Amino acid sequence: MAIRFIVAGFILSLLSACGSEPLDGAALAQEKGCVACHGAQGKALVASYPNLNGQWERYLRLQLRAYRDGPRVNAIMNGMAAELTDQEINALAAHYGRES
Ligand code: HEC
């Protein structure tokens, strides 16, 4: 009987740990298709796409919000950013960028 409570408690603590865990930016970049143009580490695949590696994290975050919310206009990136949540933008910027 007690074992059931222990197992249930363990599962609950796992679930709450997942909820508070920051998103994995590297996995998100794969999942969202960013890697197809910007590469897994931010080195772009062709010269017409910008490198993201080494850029400030804060700058990347602001650009992604600007693409999503409208101020920065680009046919590709407005579409790519349209559905991103703030949390996803933070994780992607943290993955590709570096701390200021
Ligand atoms: C089809 C290719 C393509 C894909 C896929 C793509 N991008 Fe881009 N990205 C571009 C291009 C082209 C630009 C330059 C747009 C411009 O001139 O504003 C750009 C610009 C950016 C910038 C601004 C860079 C700067 O120096 O100002 C960021 C940040 C960025 N992309 C992040 C992402 C993220 C994160 C994803 C995935 C959600 C993504 N991109 C998916 C092609 C792509």
Side-chain angles (χ1 to χ4, degrees):
M1 198 62 200
I3 190 76
R4 281 200 189 157
F5 287 109
I6 293 167
V7 169
F10 179 64
I11 290 170
L12 278 178
S13 65
L14 267 185
L15 285 176
S16 61
C18 287
S20 58
E21 196 96 332
L23 292 172
D24 177 352
L28 212 52
Q30 295 279 352
E31 192 185 309
K32 301 283 179 186
C34 320
V35 298
C37 298
H38 297 291
Q41 300 302 325
K43 170 83 177 125
L45 276 73
V46 295
S48 51
Y49 304 142
N51 292 325
L52 302 179
N53 184 22
Q55 189 51 273
W56 298 113
E57 175 180 346
R58 178 163 189 272
Y59 172 86
L60 295 178
R61 192 166 61 236
L62 292 176
Q63 300 318 305
L64 287 169
R65 290 214 187 119
Y67 285 128
R68 182 191 64 187
D69 300 337
R72 186 166 173 180
V73 178
N74 174 262
I76 298 173
M77 283 308 303
N78 289 140
M80 290 306 301
E83 303 296 327
L84 297 178
T85 64
D86 285 345
Q87 227 192 348
E88 288 171 336
I89 285 179
N90 293 347
L92 288 164
H95 167 63
Y96 279 124
R98 63 189 177 98
E99 302 261 346
S100 50

